[in-house]
mmCIF file of all heavy atoms in Angstrom:
data_model
loop_
_atom_site.group_PDB
_atom_site.id
_atom_site.type_symbol
_atom_site.label_atom_id
_atom_site.label_comp_id
_atom_site.label_asym_id
_atom_site.label_seq_id
_atom_site.Cartn_x
_atom_site.Cartn_y
_atom_site.Cartn_z
ATOM 1 N N PRO A 477 220.614 169.471 151.090
ATOM 2 C CA PRO A 477 221.223 170.786 151.342
ATOM 3 C C PRO A 477 221.417 171.080 152.839
ATOM 4 O O PRO A 477 222.450 171.633 153.241
ATOM 5 C CB PRO A 477 220.225 171.767 150.711
ATOM 6 C CG PRO A 477 219.539 170.974 149.664
ATOM 7 C CD PRO A 477 219.418 169.596 150.236
ATOM 8 N N LEU A 478 220.419 170.704 153.664
ATOM 9 C CA LEU A 478 220.560 170.948 155.106
ATOM 10 C C LEU A 478 221.697 170.139 155.714
ATOM 11 O O LEU A 478 222.413 170.612 156.600
ATOM 12 C CB LEU A 478 219.248 170.598 155.816
ATOM 13 C CG LEU A 478 218.086 171.595 155.675
ATOM 14 C CD1 LEU A 478 216.852 171.071 156.402
ATOM 15 C CD2 LEU A 478 218.465 172.968 156.215
ATOM 16 N N THR A 479 221.865 168.889 155.248
ATOM 17 C CA THR A 479 222.944 168.035 155.761
ATOM 18 C C THR A 479 224.314 168.647 155.472
ATOM 19 O O THR A 479 225.235 168.553 156.290
ATOM 20 C CB THR A 479 222.854 166.625 155.138
ATOM 21 O OG1 THR A 479 221.577 166.062 155.446
ATOM 22 C CG2 THR A 479 223.938 165.710 155.677
ATOM 23 N N LEU A 480 224.431 169.283 154.330
ATOM 24 C CA LEU A 480 225.700 169.916 153.955
ATOM 25 C C LEU A 480 225.891 171.263 154.653
ATOM 26 O O LEU A 480 227.032 171.651 154.963
ATOM 27 C CB LEU A 480 225.748 170.120 152.434
ATOM 28 C CG LEU A 480 225.796 168.841 151.588
ATOM 29 C CD1 LEU A 480 225.588 169.165 150.114
ATOM 30 C CD2 LEU A 480 227.119 168.112 151.790
ATOM 31 N N TRP A 481 224.792 171.975 154.935
ATOM 32 C CA TRP A 481 224.887 173.350 155.444
ATOM 33 C C TRP A 481 224.894 173.437 156.971
ATOM 34 O O TRP A 481 225.706 174.157 157.569
ATOM 35 C CB TRP A 481 223.710 174.171 154.886
ATOM 36 C CG TRP A 481 223.633 175.580 155.410
ATOM 37 C CD1 TRP A 481 224.562 176.567 155.244
ATOM 38 C CD2 TRP A 481 222.576 176.142 156.190
ATOM 39 N NE1 TRP A 481 224.148 177.720 155.860
ATOM 40 C CE2 TRP A 481 222.925 177.487 156.451
ATOM 41 C CE3 TRP A 481 221.358 175.646 156.676
ATOM 42 C CZ2 TRP A 481 222.101 178.341 157.207
ATOM 43 C CZ3 TRP A 481 220.549 176.492 157.411
ATOM 44 C CH2 TRP A 481 220.922 177.819 157.672
ATOM 45 N N LEU A 482 223.996 172.688 157.633
ATOM 46 C CA LEU A 482 223.815 172.830 159.078
ATOM 47 C C LEU A 482 225.076 172.557 159.915
ATOM 48 O O LEU A 482 225.285 173.227 160.936
ATOM 49 C CB LEU A 482 222.675 171.924 159.560
ATOM 50 C CG LEU A 482 221.253 172.397 159.224
ATOM 51 C CD1 LEU A 482 220.223 171.351 159.645
ATOM 52 C CD2 LEU A 482 220.953 173.731 159.903
ATOM 53 N N PRO A 483 225.930 171.578 159.550
ATOM 54 C CA PRO A 483 227.138 171.368 160.360
ATOM 55 C C PRO A 483 228.028 172.606 160.483
ATOM 56 O O PRO A 483 228.815 172.712 161.430
ATOM 57 C CB PRO A 483 227.871 170.239 159.610
ATOM 58 C CG PRO A 483 226.780 169.496 158.922
ATOM 59 C CD PRO A 483 225.793 170.539 158.509
ATOM 60 N N HIS A 484 227.898 173.529 159.537
ATOM 61 C CA HIS A 484 228.718 174.743 159.563
ATOM 62 C C HIS A 484 228.042 175.889 160.305
ATOM 63 O O HIS A 484 228.627 176.960 160.470
ATOM 64 C CB HIS A 484 229.016 175.198 158.124
ATOM 65 C CG HIS A 484 229.737 174.170 157.305
ATOM 66 N ND1 HIS A 484 231.107 173.987 157.368
ATOM 67 C CD2 HIS A 484 229.279 173.243 156.425
ATOM 68 C CE1 HIS A 484 231.462 173.011 156.551
ATOM 69 N NE2 HIS A 484 230.372 172.540 155.963
ATOM 70 N N VAL A 485 226.790 175.683 160.758
ATOM 71 C CA VAL A 485 226.009 176.750 161.390
ATOM 72 C C VAL A 485 226.140 176.677 162.913
ATOM 73 O O VAL A 485 225.867 175.632 163.520
ATOM 74 C CB VAL A 485 224.514 176.648 161.001
ATOM 75 C CG1 VAL A 485 223.685 177.686 161.740
ATOM 76 C CG2 VAL A 485 224.360 176.821 159.495
ATOM 77 N N ALA A 486 226.539 177.759 163.518
ATOM 78 C CA ALA A 486 226.583 177.898 164.986
ATOM 79 C C ALA A 486 227.308 176.743 165.675
ATOM 80 O O ALA A 486 226.931 176.329 166.787
ATOM 81 C CB ALA A 486 225.151 178.024 165.527
ATOM 82 N N GLY A 487 228.320 176.200 165.000
ATOM 83 C CA GLY A 487 229.120 175.123 165.585
ATOM 84 C C GLY A 487 228.357 173.832 165.818
ATOM 85 O O GLY A 487 228.718 173.027 166.690
ATOM 86 N N LEU A 488 227.311 173.588 165.028
ATOM 87 C CA LEU A 488 226.512 172.363 165.202
ATOM 88 C C LEU A 488 227.306 171.096 164.918
ATOM 89 O O LEU A 488 227.112 170.059 165.550
ATOM 90 C CB LEU A 488 225.262 172.412 164.306
ATOM 91 C CG LEU A 488 224.107 173.290 164.770
ATOM 92 C CD1 LEU A 488 223.050 173.404 163.676
ATOM 93 C CD2 LEU A 488 223.483 172.733 166.044
ATOM 94 N N GLY A 489 228.194 171.148 163.916
ATOM 95 C CA GLY A 489 228.993 169.969 163.576
ATOM 96 C C GLY A 489 228.140 168.763 163.224
ATOM 97 O O GLY A 489 227.177 168.873 162.465
ATOM 98 N N VAL A 490 228.451 167.604 163.843
ATOM 99 C CA VAL A 490 227.715 166.377 163.528
ATOM 100 C C VAL A 490 226.237 166.487 163.898
ATOM 101 O O VAL A 490 225.382 165.850 163.257
ATOM 102 C CB VAL A 490 228.334 165.159 164.248
ATOM 103 C CG1 VAL A 490 229.690 164.811 163.662
ATOM 104 C CG2 VAL A 490 228.443 165.402 165.743
#
Side-chain angles (χ1 to χ4, degrees):
L478 284 178
T479 302
L480 294 170
W481 176 62
L482 285 175
H484 301 278
V485 176
L488 283 171
V490 290

